[in-house]
Amino acid sequence: MATVRVAMSPADLELVFGVRREVFVVEQNVPADIEYDELDATSLHVLAVGADGRPLGTARLIHGAEALALTGTEGRVLLGRLAVLKAARGTGLGAELVRAIEQAGREHGGVEVELHAQVQALGFYERLGYAAEGPVYPSAGIPHRTMTRVL
């Protein structure tokens, strides 16, 4: 059983970045200089940990002025960097992380969520109520598609 919480401390952020490193940099070969960006400093990060305190997954929420600048849409927040370690995949943890980001988005004035899904994950997000928009495009060498959901 996992606990999902907002990452508040420097130690929590170390765990967040460790999960992202394992999933994106190691597994998917995303260059580290692309994976970590200036938005990490102003984003809200959620962290899932197991009963033993070990990290299992993470996601981030971009909100406020940064979200408006990136989406051009008032009231839209961005869900990003959703990552679940291999050992925790298929357990429902990814959906828990998405719902935690959605709740945080509401708390930060969001009325709609945008995300940039890897094409292989479109079905996962569709099951959670997201709809794909526009064409497929590359990001970090991986095919992606924009998706949105009204909160």
Side-chain angles (χ1 to χ4, degrees):
M1 183 171 181
T3 301
V4 176
R5 66 177 189 249
V6 174
M8 300 291 282
S9 69
D12 279 349
L13 288 176
E14 285 282 324
L15 297 175
V16 163
F17 296 141
V19 169
R20 285 174 42 189
R21 181 175 34 260
E22 179 65 28
V23 172
F24 297 122
V25 177
V26 175
E27 285 182 35
Q28 297 182 358
N29 296 310
V30 173
D33 63 333
I34 293 173
E35 174 52 32
Y36 308 104
D37 60 27
E38 67 283 351
L39 295 169
D40 283 326
T42 56
S43 295
L44 179 142
H45 301 269
V46 294
L47 173 66
V49 295
D52 61 1
R54 292 183 192 202
L56 299 172
T58 188
R60 79 175 181 186
L61 174 73
I62 301 169
H63 56 88
E66 288 90 355
L68 180 58
L70 291 167
T71 68
T73 304
E74 189 74 39
R76 187 178 278 190
V77 296
L78 281 161
L79 182 163
R81 304 302 201 266
L82 177 69
V84 175
L85 295 178
K86 279 184 185 179
R89 292 180 194 154
T91 66
L93 183 59
E96 281 186 63
L97 288 163
V98 169
R99 296 304 184 217
I101 289 291
E102 291 172 347
Q103 181 57 39
R106 284 184 201 91
E107 292 169 4
H108 285 87
V111 295
E112 185 175 34
V113 178
E114 177 180 314
L115 61 88
H116 304 153
Q118 293 182 7
V119 169
Q120 54 88 14
L122 290 175
F124 166 78
Y125 290 112
E126 287 169 345
R127 287 188 295 278
L128 295 175
Y130 287 81
E133 300 178 348
V136 173
Y137 56 89
S139 180
I142 301 168
H144 282 70
R145 194 155 181 215
T146 298
M147 300 185 85
T148 59
R149 179 178 185 268
V150 174
L151 292 175

